[in-house]
Amino acid sequence: MSGKTPVIIPRIHEAEHTPVWQSELARAVRSTEELLQLLALDPESVKTGPRTDGFPLRVPRGFVRRMQAGNAQDPLLLQVLPVPAETATTAGYQLDPLQETTTMPVPGLLHKYRGRALLTVTGACAIHCRYCFRRHFPYTDANPTGEQWMNAVRYLGAHTDIHELILSGGDPLSLTDGRLAQLSGQLDTISHLHTLRIHTRTPVVLPERIDSGLLDWIARRSQRVVMVIHCNHPNEIDDSVITAMQQLAQAGVTLLNQSVLLKAVNDDTGTLVRLSERLFAAGVLPYYLHQLDRVQGAAHFEVDDLRARKLHAGMRERLPGYLVPRLVREEPGAPGKTLLI
Ligand SMILES: *Cc1c(COP(=O)(O)O)cnc(C)c1O
Ligand code: SF4
């Protein structure tokens, strides 16, 4: 190399440089018409709507590309397409099924279980899942900003029995690297926090988010980092997701998955077995298989407990123990998640 003129790489100012994931997020599909068109589906024959202004359709284009064109029953499509059944009012289904708004010591901070606390850091998500139990959640009240965030940090600092902080949302990885750095900077002052757990669907639906900025942020953490990705169907895992998982694993992240059991999406043993195998191939271990939280507008996704147990028994027959997730339900007021088997 000697004798050559060194190449001078111009420094790009942070503000001028929009990460790829942010532009992908900005150009996510937001209309039913466009989504059906991309999938070559006839808008006359697919029942959609109504327009849900509080929780509109949102799906990154990379995720749409994993759907099968021409298939109105595609398991990825069913998770994001608003359908008329969402307006049904179902007995026993609530707006705040976990009664989270009543268990917050500080807005945004949930301390229900021993040793760990959960902080909702944003209401935003890269995708809008129609079954989401937080679809009616008052995020604007619950996201710690400024003074509220300081209160959450004070609470965590004062409770020396909390060793693990779970960042949740919304989706924590919809925050920018700058915002994540700000949050983690304050957490680093709390020496009894050993583990930072991030619950996120972003690496699955927008793997572009796992970029050098995020990997740098992870490398700088003093806590152990656990990431629980939210993947419901084997078709969600394509090569871009596998690459993202490999990069996270290389950065030392422990990778786990939680799924929600969803009618017509993943409620058969074969699909669940393939999901576990596909996750394992991507370096991710199955952690939870959740029964749906009973939130208004999601009843059409429910699988009853008897069937859920049968499907789970089928998984146990066909998979090694370490690829069988725990079948759980979240009950308001319980000291942990309720094991269904
Ligand atoms: C699920 C959950 C946790 C974590 O529970 P684990 O059993 O550790 O996975 C913690 N806090 C809240 C509020 C939760 O809902
Ligand atoms: S990514 Fe998670 S929090 Fe966001 S809409 Fe989907 S299920 Fe809800």
Side-chain angles (χ1 to χ4, degrees):
M1 286 295 175
S2 60
K4 277 200 180 166
T5 317
V7 179
I8 297 168
I9 299 164
R11 283 184 62 183
I12 302 168
H13 191 266
E14 183 92 46
E16 294 167 12
H17 172 70
T18 307
V20 172
W21 72 269
Q22 281 181 25
S23 20
E24 273 306 305
L25 194 54
R27 53 189 289 278
V29 178
R30 281 154 209 273
S31 91
T32 306
E33 295 73 26
E34 190 188 358
L35 181 57
L36 295 181
Q37 197 187 4
L38 286 169
L39 294 171
L41 285 167
D42 174 12
E44 300 293 308
S45 62
V46 182
K47 286 205 186 71
T48 62
R51 271 192 56 202
T52 41
D53 292 331
F55 196 61
L57 180 139
R58 175 188 285 188
V59 52
R61 284 169 201 274
F63 196 74
V64 177
R65 283 196 289 274
R66 291 172 234 164
M67 297 174 186
Q68 190 191 23
N71 181 5
Q73 298 304 311
D74 181 273
L76 277 54
L77 175 65
L78 294 181
Q79 294 179 59
V80 298
L81 187 70
V83 293
E86 288 183 30
T87 50
T89 305
T90 313
Y93 278 64
Q94 281 141 23
L95 293 179
D96 176 19
L98 307 182
Q99 291 160 32
E100 287 188 327
T101 41
T102 58
T103 54
M104 289 185 182
V106 174
L109 189 69
L110 294 166
H111 186 194
K112 281 207 300 198
Y113 302 158
R114 275 177 74 167
R116 54 235 198 265
L118 183 150
L119 189 65
T120 60
V121 292
T122 172
C125 291
I127 191 167
H128 285 171
C129 314
R130 305 321 299 175
Y131 56 85
C132 182
F133 77 96
R134 291 199 165 122
R135 54 184 297 164
H136 309 286
F137 202 63
Y139 280 113
T140 39
D141 309 337
N143 294 311
T145 50
E147 188 56 30
Q148 284 186 354
W149 170 247
M150 287 313 296
N151 287 338
V153 172
R154 264 195 287 274
Y155 182 95
L156 294 169
H159 289 75
T160 51
D161 59 318
I162 300 177
H163 298 301
E164 176 170 10
L165 181 66
I166 301 167
L167 300 184
S168 182
D171 195 314
L173 293 188
S174 53
L175 296 179
T176 61
D177 294 343
R179 186 80 179 115
L180 282 174
Q182 224 178 342
L183 301 186
S184 56
Q186 282 165 310
L187 298 177
D188 285 345
T189 62
I190 306 170
S191 59
H192 55 267
L193 270 189
H194 302 318
T195 306
L196 196 58
R197 191 200 311 182
I198 303 169
H199 274 253
T200 173
R201 187 150 163 68
T202 302
V204 179
V205 301
L206 188 69
E208 294 88 341
R209 180 66 188 96
I210 312 306
D211 61 6
S212 57
L214 185 74
L215 293 166
D216 283 351
W217 177 77
I218 289 168
R220 284 197 302 271
R221 302 283 50 85
S222 51
Q223 304 88 0
R224 274 192 301 269
V225 179
V226 179
M227 206 175 269
V228 182
I229 64 163
H230 293 196
C231 180
N232 297 319
H233 193 280
N235 294 3
E236 293 175 28
I237 304 173
D238 69 355
D239 287 348
S240 65
V241 175
I242 291 178
T243 304
M245 293 304 132
Q246 284 167 344
Q247 287 172 320
L248 289 168
Q250 264 160 27
V253 177
T254 300
L255 292 168
L256 305 171
N257 180 61
Q258 76 171 39
S259 312
V260 181
L261 188 57
L262 299 166
K263 190 193 266 175
V265 172
N266 59 8
D267 63 333
D268 72 279
T269 303
T271 302
L272 292 168
V273 165
R274 279 193 297 123
L275 173 59
S276 276
E277 288 170 346
R278 191 101 184 109
L279 285 164
F280 185 57
V284 183
L285 288 178
Y287 181 37
Y288 282 136
L289 177 60
H290 269 266
Q291 273 292 50
L292 188 79
D293 294 313
R294 294 194 172 117
V295 64
Q296 279 299 352
H300 55 292
F301 283 115
E302 176 151 46
V303 178
D304 67 56
D305 282 357
L306 185 67
R307 260 203 83 225
R309 288 192 175 97
K310 278 192 185 144
L311 294 170
H312 194 262
M315 290 181 88
R316 289 201 306 274
E317 273 170 26
R318 290 169 58 178
L319 288 166
Y322 61 88
L323 292 186
V324 181
R326 290 167 220 204
L327 179 64
V328 292
R329 177 190 291 292
E330 193 120 28
E331 311 264 18
K337 301 200 195 315
T338 309
L339 212 54
L340 287 185
I341 53 133

